[in-house]
Amino acid sequence: MSTTEHDLTTNFTELTGHAPEGIWSAPGRVNLIGEHTDYNEGFVLPFAIDRRTRAAVGLRADGTIRVTSTFDDTSIQFELAALDAARAAGEITGWSAYPLGVAWALGQHGADLSRVSGVDILIDSTVPVGAGLSSSAAIESSVALAFNDLWSLGFTREKLAKVGQLAENEVVGAPTGIMDQSASLLGATDSAVFLDCRSLDAEVVPLGLAKAELSILVMDTRVSHSHATGGYSERRAACEAGAAAMGASSLRDVNVTDLDRAKELLDDVTYRRVRHVVTENQRVLDTVRALRDEGPLAIGALLDASHVSMRDDFEISIPELDLAVETARDNGAIGARMTGGGFGGAAIALVPHALVTTVETAVHAAFAAAGFTAPVTFTVTPSRGAERTSGTATKK
């Protein structure tokens, strides 16, 4: 259960002896379509959700950063000026690598960590961990926005997204792209963020789910995954190898019309990895076009095709995800697909409001019949991006 904002402030005060300067909030995200395209400089279409991480942050008189959370009693602290050495020595580990990594990454982007005030941070979250909803980016984005305000850095949200990505790549050790942080920082109500991961140009695209009486149902398999594990890194390496063999700087420069040549040049596994990314990029563009021209009822087949591609070409699905997708489709979903990095996590389904309970009941029954761990199902609403929810004064 999430604590209230008042409780979070009280807990912070009890831990530190002083009230926080403010509370900053950032959402998790669901990727509507565009999986494993971000680090290939392609296109993605995520949206921020109404599950959020909040960071109560207060200034200290010294140069120390101390982080704790409502889900872990451990308190971790480092000297801000020593974060670079701590990162190099592999001393920053566990969940605290996300907020500590953000502070380090801000230094890499120009913040002088030897001159800013120390900070205490207390984190609380309702974003499920391990479900593919990017609980990590929610932490990174809430903390980055807080530091940007309190240290008067003046960074844009687009730059803060780069900060979060750098923290995840270099401190956490997950070779992810910039999609998650961009969705968390740039999201808007009932809208998705159409992001060009090469130029980092972002455009808010209205989804129109409310008018069409559609819900996004998340089906969390409760099979945990980790982006830092080998499967993700292997897929990324295959993409890079495929692009190099095609004479391209990234798979962004390979089109659907190039796939026949790719099949001749590449081994079967690398070819299928490439085919997923190339066709997925096209599906993102087609989904944006369909949303603008026809509305959300027109995107179901694209969601379905995305899942098939991830299952067969990229091979990142698991039986639980496949069963959730198939069951949702069989019980009235307009379209469904796994979402996130794969090897576990969640699937999503686009479902008419009136059929949400029907689909949920069917998915739970199917998992029970298959002997799988019971899933967790819930709807999410496309929501606003990161924001400051209490406190107004900007400090240095």
Side-chain angles (χ1 to χ4, degrees), residues 1-3 26 49-54 71 124-129 133 135 378:
M1 181 194 295
S2 173
T3 55
I49 63 173
D50 53 340
R51 298 288 185 107
R52 303 179 74 85
T53 291
R54 291 176 299 172
F71 49 82
D124 176 66
S125 184
T126 60
V127 184
V129 176
L133 304 182
S135 55
F378 52 91

Side-chain angles (χ1 to χ4, degrees), residues 37-38 41-44 178-179 195-200 252:
T37 50
D38 58 344
E41 298 187 343
F43 303 103
V44 291
I178 202 167
M179 171 183 68
L195 178 67
D196 179 336
C197 296
R198 168 171 284 174
S199 68
L200 300 186
R252 165 64 174 273

Side-chain angles (χ1 to χ4, degrees), residues 176-259:
T176 55
I178 202 167
M179 171 183 68
D180 297 349
Q181 296 82 6
S182 296
S184 188
L185 285 156
L186 303 174
T189 301
D190 200 15
S191 300
V193 178
F194 175 38
L195 178 67
D196 179 336
C197 296
R198 168 171 284 174
S199 68
L200 300 186
D201 290 340
E203 181 180 353
V204 173
V205 177
L207 289 170
L209 299 183
K211 183 178 179 181
E213 298 186 342
L214 294 174
S215 295
I216 299 284
L217 177 67
V218 175
M219 301 167 287
D220 180 4
T221 65
R222 296 172 66 193
V223 177
S224 292
H225 64 176
S226 171
H227 282 168
T229 56
Y232 190 101
S233 299
E234 289 168 7
R235 299 308 185 278
R236 184 162 185 166
C239 292
E240 291 169 354
M246 295 289 289
S249 62
S250 76
L251 291 181
R252 165 64 174 273
D253 298 317
V254 181
N255 298 315
V256 173
T257 54
D258 298 320
L259 288 176

Side-chain angles (χ1 to χ4, degrees), residues 55-116:
V57 185
L59 296 174
R60 296 170 59 101
D62 56 15
T64 297
I65 178 171
R66 181 172 64 172
V67 297
T68 189
S69 74
T70 59
F71 49 82
D72 185 342
D73 291 335
T74 306
S75 179
I76 306 293
Q77 67 180 51
F78 287 90
E79 293 298 313
L80 280 164
L83 282 177
D84 195 38
R87 183 200 69 86
E91 296 173 354
I92 303 176
T93 60
W95 75 266
S96 66
Y98 297 104
L100 293 171
V102 166
W104 170 83
L106 285 168
Q108 299 302 299
H109 276 274
D112 186 349
L113 298 185
S114 68
R115 299 178 65 86
V116 298

Side-chain angles (χ1 to χ4, degrees), residues 1 27 55 65 67 69 113 121 141 167 170 216 220 262 272 296 300 310 331 341 352 359 362 370 389:
M1 181 194 295
I65 178 171
V67 297
S69 74
L113 298 185
I121 309 168
S141 299
E170 299 298 329
I216 299 284
D220 180 4
R272 287 187 289 110
M310 288 185 287
N331 286 273
V359 172
T389 61

Side-chain angles (χ1 to χ4, degrees), residues 133-388:
L133 304 182
S134 202
S135 55
S136 57
I139 294 176
E140 291 157 0
S141 299
S142 59
V143 170
L145 196 63
F147 292 165
N148 194 47
D149 285 352
L150 293 175
W151 292 341
S152 299
L153 298 178
F155 289 3
T156 65
R157 288 181 179 239
E158 289 80 4
K159 187 168 184 176
L160 293 178
K162 292 181 182 180
V163 166
Q165 182 194 13
L166 183 63
E168 191 131 359
N169 291 172
E170 299 298 329
V171 181
V172 178
T176 55
I178 202 167
M179 171 183 68
D180 297 349
Q181 296 82 6
S182 296
S184 188
L185 285 156
L186 303 174
T189 301
D190 200 15
S191 300
V193 178
F194 175 38
L195 178 67
D196 179 336
C197 296
R198 168 171 284 174
S199 68
L200 300 186
D201 290 340
E203 181 180 353
V204 173
V205 177
L207 289 170
L209 299 183
K211 183 178 179 181
E213 298 186 342
L214 294 174
S215 295
I216 299 284
L217 177 67
V218 175
M219 301 167 287
D220 180 4
T221 65
R222 296 172 66 193
V223 177
S224 292
H225 64 176
S226 171
H227 282 168
T229 56
Y232 190 101
S233 299
E234 289 168 7
R235 299 308 185 278
R236 184 162 185 166
C239 292
E240 291 169 354
M246 295 289 289
S249 62
S250 76
L251 291 181
R252 165 64 174 273
D253 298 317
V254 181
N255 298 315
V256 173
T257 54
D258 298 320
L259 288 176
D260 286 343
R261 184 167 70 92
K263 191 168 187 178
E264 294 176 1
L265 290 173
L266 306 174
D267 64 85
D268 178 64
V269 171
T270 305
Y271 168 69
R272 287 187 289 110
R273 304 297 188 253
V274 167
R275 182 169 63 180
H276 164 71
V277 173
V278 171
T279 58
E280 187 81 345
N281 270 330
Q282 188 60 52
R283 281 187 288 270
V284 174
L285 297 175
D286 291 344
T287 299
V288 171
R289 190 175 302 113
L291 286 168
R292 288 171 173 159
D293 296 345
E294 303 171 72
L297 289 167
I299 69 172
L302 292 161
L303 301 181
D304 294 341
S306 175
H307 183 78
V308 170
S309 183
M310 288 185 287
R311 183 191 68 199
D312 299 344
D313 279 354
F314 225 58
E315 296 182 288
I316 55 173
S317 190
I318 58 171
E320 288 89 340
L321 288 167
D322 294 338
L323 182 60
V325 166
E326 292 160 10
T327 304
R329 290 287 290 119
D330 290 344
N331 286 273
I334 289 166
R337 62 185 288 273
M338 61 151 283
T339 188
F343 310 106
I348 59 170
L350 187 62
V351 185
H353 289 336
L355 293 178
V356 168
T357 300
T358 299
V359 172
E360 285 185 293
T361 300
V363 169
H364 281 267
F367 271 55
F372 294 153
T373 299
V376 175
T377 58
F378 52 91
T379 58
V380 291
T381 302
S383 183
R384 64 198 183 279
E387 62 186 356
R388 188 174 190 163

